Amino acid sequence: MKKIITTVFCTALALCSGLTAENLDRDDIEAEIWEDMWNGKGDNGLDFPEASYKHHLLDRWLDENYGSEDYDWTEIGELQYEYKDYYRRLIEDWDFEDDNEGGWTISTEDNHYSFSLLNGMWQMTDKNGDTVDTFPPFSTLEEDESEIAGGYKINDNGADSPRVIGEVTGGTETASEGGSS
């Protein structure tokens, strides 16, 4: 009897304590889905619109859905699957054209879209020249490592005064030389 009461008590305690899985962080979800989906070339986000637009679609999907009960926000594998399914349905009738010179277009049954960079934002325009979407450039390049010079790491974020690492030859004087002239 004691075992039954103990089991019931422990089960009730676990249920009442609110043990639930927490939602994954939105930024972590975005990074995981993007890494899984994007297999293109490195791009600084300003030369070609393709990666920026595809990342914009992912952002929009997350903005519209994050936290909703339509998806399990605790399971990254499930979210990757759900986004891929959404993306495939979205683009199933799109024809992408890349001229490898920065020109990237999308043709659908009803329209033709082109992209141009204007005031630091990508503009998606339709065949009539009307802007239908705007989005920021997104770089697919990995962040550069801090520079290393002579074994010293350079943290140049512009907050400090300039410094010299290494030897300075010529054009220097000691304090005693400068004051005696």
Side-chain angles (χ1 to χ4, degrees):
M1 182 69 164
K2 285 184 181 181
K3 287 184 180 181
I4 293 173
I5 293 173
T6 303
T7 303
V8 170
F9 178 74
C10 289
T11 303
L13 182 63
L15 292 173
C16 292
S17 67
L19 292 177
T20 59
E22 291 187 31
N23 284 354
L24 297 170
D25 180 69
R26 185 196 183 284
D27 292 337
D28 292 339
I29 294 168
E30 180 179 357
E32 288 291 326
I33 292 174
W34 180 252
E35 184 177 322
D36 186 48
M37 288 287 294
W38 179 251
N39 57 358
K41 59 189 175 290
D43 178 22
N44 66 6
L46 300 172
D47 297 329
F48 304 100
E50 180 181 5
S52 298
Y53 184 63
K54 289 181 178 181
H55 194 269
H56 170 64
L57 292 176
L58 172 58
D59 268 342
R60 189 168 62 193
W61 182 79
L62 284 169
D63 288 345
E64 292 171 359
N65 295 292
Y66 183 69
S68 73
E69 294 180 13
D70 296 336
Y71 305 103
D72 179 0
W73 296 99
T74 64
E75 176 57 46
I76 192 66
E78 182 68 24
L79 293 170
Q80 287 171 326
Y81 170 80
E82 292 292 346
Y83 181 73
K84 283 181 186 178
D85 188 47
Y86 159 81
Y87 182 76
R88 283 186 193 111
R89 284 191 318 268
L90 180 67
I91 68 163
E92 68 185 347
D93 295 327
W94 293 5
D95 182 25
F96 296 97
E97 183 67 37
D98 186 351
D99 67 6
N100 294 321
E101 294 179 12
W104 190 69
T105 60
I106 299 172
S107 295
T108 67
E109 186 176 314
D110 301 325
N111 219 322
H112 180 81
Y113 302 98
S114 59
F115 299 83
S116 59
L117 193 62
L118 180 66
N119 297 326
M121 294 287 283
W122 282 108
Q123 309 291 313
M124 180 180 183
T125 54
D126 64 12
K127 64 184 175 187
N128 298 323
D130 297 325
T131 300
V132 294
D133 204 352
T134 60
F135 50 93
F138 178 78
S139 176
T140 60
L141 301 176
E142 292 184 19
E143 298 217 8
D144 294 335
E145 292 290 322
S146 296
E147 291 183 48
I148 306 248
Y152 296 96
K153 186 174 181 181
I154 300 172
N155 293 315
D156 188 10
N157 61 4
D160 297 331
S161 59
R163 59 186 167 266
V164 176
I165 298 176
E167 295 181 24
V168 177
T169 58
T172 62
E173 55 187 37
T174 65
S176 60
E177 291 173 336
S180 62
S181 319

